[in-house]
Amino acid sequence: MRGGTIQINWHDTKPVLTLDFHFPTGTLATGGGDNDIKLWIISPGESQKKFPLSSYQKSLSYHSSTVNALRFSPSGEFLASGADGGDLVIWKLHSTDDGSAWKVFKTLLFHRKDVLDLQWSPDGGYLISGSVDNSCIIWDISKGSVHQILDAHLHYVQGVSWDPLGCYVASLSSDRTCRIYVNKPQTKQKGHDKINYVSQYLLTKLEVQNTDDSTALLAKTHLFHDETLNSFFRRLSWSPDGSFLLVPAGICKLSPASDPINAAYIISRKELSRPAMSLVGPSKPIVAVRFCPILFCLQGNTATGLFKLPYRVIFAVATINSLYIYDSESISPIVIVAGLHYAAITDISWSPNAKYLALSSQDGYCSILEFDDDELGVPFSLEDSKSAPQGMPSTTNVKADVEDCMDIDHLGADHMDRKADVKADEEKPVQPNLVKASDTNKLTKKRITPTAIS
């Protein structure tokens, strides 16, 4: 594994707030404070010791304000971009004599304030957006109109995510709540079902046992940071098979009197009313999570794993100033990267083939990690390709029938008080350290000075 902060002028030295990989081509799109969307070709380093190379391709100019969120549709035909002031644009990929070009397809106007996060439905027919106006909107892309407004939150909606199986959408707000909505379709006159999401689960507080009291009283503590969290984003994510939801910006208490610990929560599809377990330990708040689109073969004994899955799921967890990579066979991170940026990390994206993992930051730079072939493991293949969820890319090896094979051992409090075995040194800027969890005692500290190259 190689990588680090690529020293180029991404967005005229202004903050880079979002990025996403295009599924068919692997092109990386970035957006930020210069109001533009820029497209990049990422290629391997020239040698084993070199960082991945980033080559500028073109800019998409339309927005007149800061671009906060970018997401390609599952098919790769469309790109959605959300910006300050409520601007939301759908771009469409067109074939041209010179190859291809992205052109404005529709502008979606209804949000009154900044759009902070976006997510496509599995079939690409709908889009959900979260905004500073406290609402989520589900858009009908073919009509270019509002399909449904979800307005239950009382403060900024900073993260949205769509279940890859199409049953749920989830939103995370600075009102300290995560809401999960279930699809209860309405039948049209022509006999076709119309999607209709209804709030079903509200996650806001959790009962914690008071271990200092012999009566073992239970006290409720907040699950999430309040509005003072120093980040515009709380980007949550469903696993590619839909088996669980990963939620950032958590605070976990081991007892009512203890200090809060930063955490990300794993919520099982079988029990969406409360966290199944927590990933705790980072010294800084967690602001974004993203799953690797590829599933991998198991490497160890499933009896010792936390997840009863026939494959390994890998995901990235970004704090304000560090990155953790986990897999579903261990409670401890398999990789920790610290000291990449001087300002807050804002977004994460995996390339479609899991070759690259990219991060954006408010310091105006992006970091890219490059993985060697099979470094993350052997891709998991399905005997019957028809079992992939409808609407998901055909080359993404996900399993549709997760209800029967998915489970998490020791649901509830048994894992709520477990800290990660290792912890990144996040307090000082250091030379990027890419290490296995077992090697974290060998980290070295070296100061790095980013420079912009025109």
Side-chain angles (χ1 to χ4, degrees):
M1 179 175 58
R2 298 168 299 281
T5 306
I6 297 181
Q7 306 300 307
I8 63 174
N9 195 345
W10 290 88
H11 284 267
D12 297 331
T13 69
K14 294 185 179 180
V16 186
L17 300 178
T18 183
L19 76 179
D20 198 35
F21 278 99
H22 185 232
F23 171 73
T25 65
T27 300
L28 179 65
T30 60
D34 65 348
N35 308 344
D36 274 354
I37 299 167
K38 288 183 169 60
L39 302 179
W40 309 83
I41 299 297
I42 307 300
S43 56
E46 297 175 352
S47 69
Q48 289 294 322
K49 296 182 179 181
K50 294 290 185 179
F51 288 175
L53 302 176
S54 177
S55 303
Y56 171 76
Q57 188 178 29
K58 64 181 68 174
S59 293
L60 307 181
S61 299
Y62 185 87
H63 289 286
S64 59
S65 56
T66 297
V67 178
N68 298 313
L70 292 173
R71 293 294 182 262
F72 288 103
S73 65
S75 67
E77 182 182 7
F78 298 104
L79 169 65
S81 56
D84 283 357
D87 290 345
L88 210 169
V89 176
I90 305 298
W91 306 77
K92 186 175 182 180
L93 185 61
H94 294 266
S95 297
T96 65
D97 294 337
D98 298 331
S100 60
W102 290 94
K103 298 181 181 179
V104 173
F105 176 64
K106 283 183 170 64
T107 56
L108 307 180
L109 302 176
F110 197 86
H111 278 301
R112 301 181 301 278
K113 296 181 180 180
D114 306 354
V115 177
L116 298 182
D117 203 16
L118 302 167
Q119 183 66 57
W120 290 88
S121 65
D123 63 2
Y126 296 88
L127 180 79
I128 186 170
S129 56
S131 171
V132 173
D133 64 14
N134 303 354
S135 73
C136 305
I137 294 180
I138 296 177
W139 305 85
D140 186 320
I141 299 304
S142 62
K143 297 179 180 178
S145 62
V146 174
H147 177 79
Q148 188 178 359
I149 300 176
L150 308 176
D151 57 1
H153 284 295
L154 303 177
H155 213 264
Y156 305 161
V157 180
Q158 298 177 304
V160 291
S161 186
W162 209 306
D163 167 26
L165 303 185
C167 298
Y168 304 100
V169 294
S171 60
L172 185 59
S173 169
S174 52
D175 67 4
R176 310 186 83 168
T177 67
C178 175
R179 290 184 176 270
I180 301 175
Y181 306 81
V182 63
N183 184 19
K184 295 185 177 180
Q186 297 176 339
T187 303
K188 295 183 178 180
Q189 293 180 352
K190 295 182 180 180
H192 297 290
D193 287 340
K194 178 180 179 182
I195 68 168
N196 176 52
Y197 283 89
V198 178
S199 181
Q200 183 168 10
Y201 301 103
L202 173 65
L203 289 82
T204 179
K205 292 184 179 181
L206 185 71
E207 289 184 341
V208 177
Q209 182 171 322
N210 190 343
T211 56
D212 296 332
D213 192 335
S214 59
T215 59
L217 297 176
L218 296 178
K220 289 187 175 182
T221 63
H222 283 284
L223 287 171
F224 304 103
H225 281 277
D226 60 20
E227 69 277 3
T228 63
L229 176 64
N230 188 26
S231 174
F232 291 111
F233 311 109
R234 307 183 187 210
R235 305 189 194 269
L236 67 169
S237 181
W238 286 90
S239 60
D241 61 348
S243 60
F244 54 91
L245 175 68
L246 185 59
V247 186
I251 48 173
C252 179
K253 281 194 169 187
L254 305 183
S255 70
S258 66
D259 293 332
I261 304 170
N262 292 305
Y265 295 111
I266 293 177
I267 302 171
S268 166
R269 188 182 189 87
K270 286 189 173 182
E271 179 53 78
L272 293 171
S273 63
R274 57 171 290 152
M277 62 174 290
S278 60
L279 303 174
V280 299
S283 62
K284 300 293 184 182
I286 297 169
V287 296
V289 297
R290 199 79 180 263
F291 283 89
C292 178
I294 303 296
L295 302 175
F296 296 91
C297 295
L298 296 173
Q299 292 183 329
N301 185 350
T302 57
T304 62
L306 295 170
F307 302 87
K308 294 179 180 178
L309 293 169
Y311 38 71
R312 291 169 60 237
V313 180
I314 293 179
F315 53 93
V317 173
T319 75
I320 285 177
N321 64 350
S322 64
L323 176 75
Y324 295 72
I325 299 177
Y326 292 85
D327 75 356
S328 55
E329 286 191 288
S330 174
I331 185 64
S332 301
I334 58 175
V335 173
I336 298 175
V337 184
L340 288 172
H341 294 279
Y342 287 98
I345 294 172
T346 55
D347 204 359
I348 320 172
S349 183
W350 293 84
S351 64
N353 59 1
K355 179 73 172 179
Y356 304 106
L357 175 61
L359 299 88
S360 57
S361 171
Q362 287 186 353
D363 64 8
Y365 297 91
C366 295
S367 295
I368 299 178
L369 306 183
E370 179 184 351
F371 299 94
D372 294 329
D373 294 340
D374 295 335
E375 184 175 2
L376 294 175
V378 178
F380 178 82
S381 60
L382 299 175
E383 294 181 358
D384 184 1
S385 61
K386 294 181 181 180
S387 63
Q390 184 179 3
M392 293 294 289
S394 58
T395 56
T396 303
N397 52 350
V398 296
K399 191 175 182 68
D401 187 13
V402 299
E403 290 291 349
D404 294 331
C405 68
M406 192 283 301
D407 199 3
I408 299 178
D409 287 342
H410 312 299
L411 296 182
D414 288 354
H415 283 298
M416 295 301 292
D417 59 355
R418 293 190 61 177
K419 293 185 180 181
D421 293 338
V422 289
K423 181 176 178 180
D425 182 0
E426 303 173 306
E427 302 304 327
K428 299 179 181 179
V430 297
Q431 178 68 24
N433 290 291
L434 291 72
V435 298
K436 295 293 184 182
S438 58
D439 296 332
T440 52
N441 292 331
K442 302 177 182 179
L443 296 182
T444 58
K445 299 182 180 180
K446 296 180 180 178
R447 187 173 181 83
I448 57 175
T449 304
T451 57
I453 301 176
S454 299

